[in-house]
Amino acid sequence: MSGGLLASATPLAERYDLALVDLDGVAYRGHEPIPFASHGLAGARERGMRLVFVTNNASREPGSVAAQLTELDIPTSPEEVMTAAQAAAALLRSRLPEGERVLVVGGAGLRTAVREAGYVIVESADDAPAAVAQGFAPEVGWAQLAEAAYAVERGAWHVASNLDLSLPTARGFAPGNGSLVGAVRAATGVAPDSAGKPSPTMYRMAVERAGAREALVVGDRLDTDLAGARSGDFAGLHVLTGVSSARDDVLAVPGERPHYIGADLRALLVAHEAPARAGDGWWTCGAASACVVDGALELGRGRHTSDDAQLDLVRAACAAAWAWVDEGGALEPSSVPELAAELSGR
């Protein structure tokens, strides 16, 4: 698949038959809906696109996630939810026989997934668990992290549902599971294995479950959602409603670059233009243009007041910056301004 931005002459919901949609920062923020999420997803379904919500949050069961989405006017069944807890359980099965003891640090979603995978859940390192399964839950504290550290020190296999350092909430960004896993790693010196994004494991599980022809990953984080898309050879849409910004897109390393960029989930309902090289190092997209000169990003003059015009400017800037870096140049980060900030509410 192309290393740059892709063009789609038809709406993405018509080009791809399945969308693998992240939750936090894409469909909702904490318990609050993200503007236009319901509209975009409903429109995608009307065009024949199926949805699977793929989340690195392992604290809740699929039914609970589906209920929250339904309350936010995004009707969802439990079968349309794939959690990192399910992926972690699948990773445990890859080398741990059923009936083994597993110390679970996390919420109900992870406990249910581990139990349904055939393991015996224990609460203490003194119970000699063969593995520690760790996922995020608001109630996780020092006592649980200490038990995990004791078990890992004694040789238990450490499996993390995901390694997200932060978690979007209605009040801002809070420590995510990766931060809590980091405490155990710091105490033990042992790096955990993880099945969550950016590993493409969950994406592949969801595609296999749905029997999809061609899937599109939709996310707000370059280092997890879009990195997972790249590593799994899926097309990825970055929506500017969560963690990563348009400026982050311009500065993205090759393994985290999106294939499409949109303000929000309405991006599923429209065609996407790809930037084109215009000569003398300039790249254009719509009426927008960008170029890198001596390592500094330069943007073409003109008014970019509409949402579409701002997105075209982001796309042109990405194309110019990525081409410069891929051809061996070094891009000066200080030359890259905040782009389309108002589209993401920044």
Side-chain angles (χ1 to χ4, degrees):
M1 187 169 292
S2 167
L5 292 170
L6 299 177
S8 180
T10 60
L12 298 181
E14 297 175 9
R15 174 169 178 174
Y16 300 92
D17 64 331
L18 177 68
L20 305 173
V21 186
D22 183 50
L23 290 176
D24 291 314
V26 177
Y28 54 65
R29 187 179 294 110
H31 294 287
E32 299 298 323
I34 285 179
F36 307 112
S38 173
H39 172 77
L41 294 173
R45 280 184 163 131
E46 289 173 0
R47 288 163 172 76
M49 176 178 260
R50 290 173 293 162
L51 308 177
V52 174
F53 295 93
V54 182
T55 175
N56 262 359
N57 191 330
S59 64
R60 295 186 296 158
E61 297 170 319
S64 173
V65 175
Q68 180 184 357
L69 287 167
T70 300
E71 290 174 359
L72 297 177
D73 199 27
I74 304 172
T76 305
S77 69
E79 292 72 29
E80 294 177 306
V81 177
M82 176 74 68
T83 73
Q86 294 169 303
L91 181 57
L92 288 171
R93 284 197 300 269
S94 70
R95 74 183 225 198
L96 204 65
E98 288 188 15
E100 291 279 9
R101 297 176 181 180
V102 176
L103 174 63
V104 175
V105 177
L110 185 57
R111 297 178 71 87
T112 297
V114 170
R115 184 180 298 110
E116 290 181 347
Y119 300 111
V120 177
I121 295 177
V122 298
E123 308 296 334
S124 170
D126 295 337
D127 294 320
V132 173
Q134 183 175 354
F136 175 81
E139 63 270 19
V140 170
W142 182 89
Q144 293 91 343
L145 297 178
E147 289 300 324
Y150 301 147
V152 172
E153 285 175 340
R154 298 172 189 176
W157 178 27
H158 192 188
V159 173
S161 64
N162 71 288
L163 299 174
D164 290 3
L165 294 175
S166 62
L167 179 69
T169 74
R171 297 177 59 193
F173 295 106
N177 192 55
S179 296
L180 302 178
V181 169
V184 177
R185 179 175 182 174
T188 63
V190 177
D193 290 322
S194 175
K197 297 176 283 186
S199 166
T201 299
M202 285 195 294
Y203 294 152
R204 289 172 177 153
M205 289 171 62
V207 169
E208 182 178 357
R209 176 195 289 182
R213 170 184 51 80
E214 190 171 13
L216 173 71
V217 171
V218 185
D220 69 302
R221 298 183 65 124
L222 299 184
D223 60 346
T224 56
D225 306 319
L226 281 306
R230 286 284 180 183
S231 64
D233 200 28
F234 296 103
L237 165 65
H238 178 214
V239 290
L240 302 174
T241 50
V243 174
S244 299
S245 67
R247 182 175 185 271
D248 294 330
D249 284 333
V250 177
L251 296 171
V253 298
E256 298 181 1
R257 293 172 182 169
H259 298 90
Y260 305 100
I261 301 171
D264 50 57
L265 286 173
R266 291 176 296 177
L268 294 171
L269 311 181
V270 297
H272 288 248
E273 181 177 352
R277 194 185 289 266
D280 296 328
W282 284 90
W283 288 78
T284 64
C285 187
S289 59
C291 180
V292 177
V293 178
D294 295 330
L297 179 68
E298 295 187 3
L299 303 177
R301 296 180 180 180
R303 295 175 59 85
H304 304 287
T305 54
S306 72
D307 289 357
D308 288 343
Q310 290 185 70
L311 286 170
D312 283 343
L313 184 63
V314 173
R315 293 166 181 142
C318 284
W322 297 354
W324 176 267
V325 171
D326 291 349
E327 291 166 7
L331 181 66
E332 176 52 54
S334 63
S335 72
V336 182
E338 290 293 342
L339 297 164
E342 58 271 32
L343 296 182
S344 56
R346 296 177 183 277

